[in-house]
Amino acid sequence: MSSDGIPGPDSEVALRVKAMESLLLEKGLVESSAIDALIDMFENRLGPWNGAQVVARAWTDPEYKAWLLQDGTGAIADMGFDAVQGEDMVVVENTPQVHNIVVCTLCSCFPWATLGLPPVWYKSAPFRSRAASDPRGVLAEFGTEIGADTEVRVWDSNAELRYMVLPERPTGTDGLDAEALAKLVTRDSMIGVTKVAPPD
Amino acid sequence: MNGIHDMGGMHGFGTIMETVDAPQFHEEWERRTMGLVNAMMAGFQFSVDEFRYAIERMAPAHYLGSSYYEHWLEGTMTLLLEKGVFSQAELDARLADLSTEQNGEPA
């Protein structure tokens, strides 16, 4: 059992991966360099720093924000983040009246182009099972208190359509430009489980 | 399909915070599996929907008792065997070779 409570892998599993890869390489169906390039892309080029730039631009450019909420796919592609698993994007806005939270109850669908690979908790049974049935309880686990007057909306992602949250711009940030604002935006705030904290 | 993967609303899985600081990849084979599966999909060996459905067909007890990237591995194996990319016999032989190699015994 590994530290996250999920039964850990063993060497037998690692051997199965090696056997599969060696057979595929031998048959010319995949190249080692292509696998390396994809790993590099997912680990180093796709990540929440992309989504943070989208959020910061929306906070500072009302026209862009309107476009983003109306046509998330197009507005995000305009920033150059139109890679894998972001082909059909819907961006939902958090306001004092509405708080949005994103889940994939069936597995792990996630906007890779703007947020990278999903965190382990997003793929875990506890989050998937409870996000829709007890969103306020889930939010409380993340330390996020949502007032009783605020509506909570849960968006269940699927393989074709992926959601991203446009979090509320924190107070005390009037003097910040988009670059400085982007640094405040966290991955979890774009999933909707936390809010963006004001600058220190 | 109303399978074990359809977890929305289920009870009893515990708290989320147990996994909140978990690393993206627990072991190197998980990183390799992520790259390999994406390479297969990029090369149109199978689609994301076929892949998802293959994972959903895992035996429920195995699904619950295995890690996320083990789901990826099992789904991929199912598709590659079903599509005849390699046979179970080829896979078993390769596993035996690798096992012998790893254990330092003569092949």
Side-chain angles (χ1 to χ4, degrees), chain A residues 125-127 129-130 133, chain B residues 7 9-16 18 64:
Chain A
F127 182 73
S129 62
R130 280 173 47 222
S133 59
Chain B
M7 291 187 150
M10 286 185 185
H11 292 175
F13 284 113
T15 66
I16 299 156
E18 285 172 17
L64 286 179

Side-chain angles (χ1 to χ4, degrees), chain A residues 11 13 35 58 65 70 82-83 122 132 144 152 164 166 192:
Chain A
S11 63
V13 179
I35 300 171
K65 179 177 159 182
Q70 193 260 323
D82 53 355
Y122 183 88
T144 306
V152 175
M164 187 178 101
L166 174 60

Side-chain angles (χ1 to χ4, degrees), chain A residues 2-24 26-27 29-36 38-39 42-43 84-85 105-109 112 117-130 132-133 138 141-143 159-160 162 187-188, chain B residues 4-11 13-42 45 48-49 52 55-56 63-74 76-77 80 85-88 90-91 94-95 98-99 102:
Chain A
S2 59
S3 60
D4 61 8
I6 296 167
D10 55 32
S11 63
E12 191 190 318
V13 179
L15 276 183
R16 281 169 68 79
V17 176
K18 276 187 186 168
M20 178 169 73
E21 181 175 352
S22 75
L23 286 169
L24 292 171
E26 197 172 278
K27 292 170 189 291
L29 291 171
V30 70
E31 287 180 17
S32 218
S33 60
I35 300 171
D36 293 337
L38 282 160
I39 290 171
F42 280 104
E43 285 205 292
V84 287
Q85 307 302 337
T105 60
L106 296 176
C107 186
S108 56
C109 288
W112 292 353
L117 292 173
V120 170
W121 61 259
Y122 183 88
K123 305 179 286 189
S124 73
F127 182 73
R128 287 165 54 193
S129 62
R130 280 173 47 222
S133 59
V138 165
E141 254 197 79
F142 281 91
E160 279 75 42
R162 317 236 165 173
R187 177 196 66 201
D188 291 1
Chain B
I4 192 65
H5 63 282
D6 193 359
M7 291 187 150
M10 286 185 185
H11 292 175
F13 284 113
T15 66
I16 299 156
M17 290 303 121
E18 285 172 17
T19 62
V20 83
D21 293 320
Q24 182 64 247
F25 303 110
H26 301 85
E27 298 201 8
E28 183 54 30
W29 70 265
E30 297 193 330
R31 180 180 280 107
R32 204 70 198 157
T33 300
M34 188 277 292
L36 189 60
V37 169
N38 276 292
M40 297 302 288
M41 288 196 284
Q45 297 298 327
V48 68
D49 297 306
R52 180 182 52 76
I55 290 175
E56 291 170 1
Y63 183 95
L64 286 179
S66 52
S67 67
Y68 179 73
Y69 282 108
E70 205 170 333
H71 296 174
W72 280 41
L73 173 63
E74 289 309 311
T76 306
M77 284 287 198
L80 296 176
V85 170
F86 50 70
S87 66
Q88 187 67 51
E90 275 180 285
L91 178 61
R94 187 57 51 96
L95 275 167
L98 288 170
S99 182
Q102 176 175 276

